Each structure stands twice: as C-alpha cells, then as structure tokens.
Amino acid sequence: MTSTAGISISLDAMGGDHGPEVVLAGAAVALERRPGTRFILFGEEAAVRPVLAKHPALEAASTFHHCEISVRMDDKPSQALRQGRYKSSMWRTIDAVKTGEADVAVSAGNTGALMAMAKFCLRTMANIERPAIAAIWPTLRGESIVLDVGATIGADAQQLIDFSMMGGAMARALLGLERPTVGLLNIGVEEVKGQDDIREAGRLLKETPLPGIDYRGFVEGNDLGQGTVDVVVTEGFTGNIALKTAEGTARQIASYLRAAMTRTWLARAGYLLAKSAFDRLRDKMDPRKVNGGVFLGLNGIVIKSHGGTDAEGIAAAIDLAHAMARAGLREKIEADLASYHRRISEEAASISESGNS
C-alpha cells in the first residue's frame, strides 16, 4: 500500500465497453492500494451517481462533473472530436490535465478518439511531430517498454529517434533504469536489412548517441519476450499487431493449460499439486496486470486502458498513472529533447564554422 497524497487523477467514467460499473470499481480498487489519491470524475450523472454510491470511500475521495455527451467505442475520431470537443466526458478528462486540475488523465474509451482529443487539447511537445503510445511488455527478464503500439501508422527516421528518447525517459521513470538499452524492431539484426527509414534511424542513433539511453542496434520479434533490450521502438502499425499477437498468444496458452489440466483425473490431481506454480504463471501472463498505454509526446500525461478490461485492469491503468505522475515523466522527456536538439544545433554550427574557415 503506497501513499499518493497530492496526486489527482482525472477519470473518464463513461469509457470502455462496460462504462461506470467497471471504471468506478477499478478506481475503488486503486484507492484501496493508494490512499490519499484524489479523483476527478467525468460522466453522465444518471449513469455515474448510482454506481458511485456503491463505493463510499471513492465517493468521498472524488469530485464529480456531469457531462451530457459520451464518446462511443465505435465513433470515428473526427466525429468524436466534432461532437464531443469541450463537453464530452473524454474531452473534459483530458482538459483537467491541461488546466492543472489533474496530474494525469485515464480513459478506457475509443483509442482513436482519445488520441485525437489529446493531441487537439494538449498539443504535442516542442520538436515532436507525432505522439506515440507506449506499452509495458512482460519479458523473461522482467518488463520492457514497446512503442509505438498504435498512435499513428508509419514513422520516418526522425520520428523513430523521437520515440527512442521518449521510451528511454519512460523506462527511467517507470523501471528505475539510469541508462536503459534501446533497440529498433526490424526483420533482422544486420544493418543492411529493413526499410530505409529504419536503417537511417539506426545509423543516426549509432553515430549521435542520445542522452539517457544506450542504443543496441536492431532487434527482432523474438527479442520482445526475451527482454533483450529495455525499450523496443517501432512504428504504430507493426507495434499494434505485435501487441495484439502477444495478448492473443497469452490467452491461447492459458486455454491450452486449462484444457490439459482438466482432461483426466490424473491431470487434475497434478494440477492441485502444482497449483501454486500455475497460479504464478497465470499471474505473469495476465494482460490485466500490465494494462495501460501511455501517450507520449504531449504536453500532459494520458493513460489509455483497454476498453474490455475488468476492474482489476482499470486499477492497473490507474497504478500506471500514479507511477508516471510521481516520476515526472513529462519533465524527463522535455529535458531529453532539449539536450538532443541542443547537441544537434552545436554540431551543425561546428560543421558550418569548419566549412567557413
């Protein structure tokens, strides 16, 4: 149980597949773990108030704001932005971070709409063209960070470098690493392999070391689970497919194990004898435990929870929000970006002076 007095979380109570019932139950679980947290809730009063009354501790620790509009899970980003800007529960959850009322925003709503609203409301950081979504990835060595897992499709060399810096800052903030290792996801580790943008990003990262990260070159898909590096960088299309594949594989293996352990009486007896080991395995493979994608590159922190998760998953996303707020993630990213662009400017000036002399 960790005290987080002073940290305020703005929460979209209408987000996700199950709405206030699951979102508020998850917030109640998170509050039990971290007493002293303040919640700012946004949603439709008729839907939120009856559920909130079931969680008196959460109700006492929360401020509620009624919103007439909720973004649906199937709304197109442009439609959600047009109809819900300034007045939907999703928008106002994000806006609370912009105004300083909240330290971090959490929503389980429509990913595309959430990113569109976050970019419009918070704007991207200076020198960042595109934000990214970073996910925590369980590995044999512990945990890694993978980005981008779905913010945008495609990325050029400079954007991949930006992702590397942002992922490195998150690794230092979340994993406590002084100089996290970083790799670019590619179809092979050889420098001649991959698309032009990936090879160019690799060359620049190798020739111009970045502050706060240790670039280790290209990594392949099998390195994700091995934990070969602390931060794996890719573009959103590939990253999202990798994330969904890993989640599906985890569920597939869990299903295989359940079927195998109940097939015969001998298998059931073996399961009972090894129950503690299977419980640890199930806990390690549980996607709810690492639920929550961090929007990086914005002037504020936004956490995206899976829409179909349960209360435990919502609580995990709020836990992640706490960690990012406590660690000063935004400030770390801004410092790294400033240091990098200062170095680039100095090198450019040095080359110019050499050419003129």
Side-chain angles (χ1 to χ4, degrees), residues 207-246:
E207 294 179 358
T208 309
L210 298 180
I213 69 172
D214 178 11
Y215 176 62
R216 295 292 181 87
F218 296 145
V219 295
E220 299 181 84
N222 58 302
D223 290 306
L224 290 169
Q226 294 290 331
T228 305
V229 292
D230 302 310
V231 180
V232 177
V233 176
T234 185
E235 53 81 35
F237 183 83
T238 303
N240 190 264
I241 290 176
L243 178 66
K244 299 294 176 59
T245 300

Side-chain angles (χ1 to χ4, degrees), residues 135-139 146 149 221-226 238-254 284-288 290 306:
I136 303 169
W137 202 284
T139 74
V146 180
V149 294
N222 58 302
D223 290 306
L224 290 169
Q226 294 290 331
T238 303
N240 190 264
I241 290 176
L243 178 66
K244 299 294 176 59
T245 300
E247 291 173 347
T249 301
R251 294 189 183 95
Q252 181 182 4
I253 293 173
K284 183 70 174 177
M285 295 175 59
D286 189 348
R288 300 176 305 168
V290 290
H306 282 297

Side-chain angles (χ1 to χ4, degrees), residues 133-139 142-149 167 170-171 173-175 224-225 229-232 239 242-244 246-247 284-296 303-304 306 313 316-324 329:
I133 303 176
I136 303 169
W137 202 284
T139 74
E143 291 178 337
S144 294
I145 291 168
V146 180
L147 73 162
D148 177 23
V149 294
M170 181 173 167
L174 183 64
L175 307 179
L224 290 169
V229 292
D230 302 310
V231 180
V232 177
L243 178 66
K244 299 294 176 59
E247 291 173 347
K284 183 70 174 177
M285 295 175 59
D286 189 348
R288 300 176 305 168
K289 302 296 184 181
V290 290
N291 178 43
V294 184
F295 287 10
L296 300 178
I303 307 296
K304 168 65 175 74
H306 282 297
I318 295 172
D319 290 344
L320 180 60
H322 280 110
M324 296 297 92
L329 174 63

Side-chain angles (χ1 to χ4, degrees), residues 95-265:
D95 191 57
V97 174
K98 180 181 180 180
T99 61
E101 187 179 2
D103 298 299
V104 56
V106 179
S107 175
N110 180 323
T111 303
L114 186 65
M115 177 56 78
M117 287 192 178
K119 286 174 65 177
F120 194 95
C121 182
L122 299 175
R123 305 295 182 182
T124 54
M125 291 178 173
N127 299 311
I128 290 291
E129 183 178 345
R130 289 185 180 182
I133 303 176
I136 303 169
W137 202 284
T139 74
L140 295 178
R141 293 175 55 242
E143 291 178 337
S144 294
I145 291 168
V146 180
L147 73 162
D148 177 23
V149 294
T152 52
I153 303 301
D156 61 26
Q158 183 56 56
Q159 288 157 2
L160 291 172
I161 292 171
D162 292 342
F163 294 172
S164 299
M165 285 189 287
M166 294 191 295
M170 181 173 167
R172 295 202 309 279
L174 183 64
L175 307 179
L177 302 171
E178 183 176 346
R179 197 160 180 259
T181 56
V182 175
L184 292 175
L185 187 63
N186 202 356
I187 58 172
V189 298
E190 299 86 356
E191 294 184 3
V192 296
K193 288 189 174 180
Q195 297 178 329
D196 291 343
D197 288 326
I198 296 174
R199 295 203 308 271
E200 177 66 6
R203 182 187 68 80
L204 293 171
L205 286 168
K206 189 175 181 180
E207 294 179 358
T208 309
L210 298 180
I213 69 172
D214 178 11
Y215 176 62
R216 295 292 181 87
F218 296 145
V219 295
E220 299 181 84
N222 58 302
D223 290 306
L224 290 169
Q226 294 290 331
T228 305
V229 292
D230 302 310
V231 180
V232 177
V233 176
T234 185
E235 53 81 35
F237 183 83
T238 303
N240 190 264
I241 290 176
L243 178 66
K244 299 294 176 59
T245 300
E247 291 173 347
T249 301
R251 294 189 183 95
Q252 181 182 4
I253 293 173
S255 180
Y256 284 162
L257 286 173
R258 283 194 299 269
M261 291 299 100
T262 58
R263 185 165 294 133
T264 65
W265 69 266

Side-chain angles (χ1 to χ4, degrees), residues 263-281:
R263 185 165 294 133
T264 65
W265 69 266
L266 189 60
R268 288 193 290 271
Y271 168 76
L272 292 175
L273 292 173
K275 186 177 184 301
S276 61
F278 281 113
D279 286 346
R280 288 194 298 271
L281 176 62

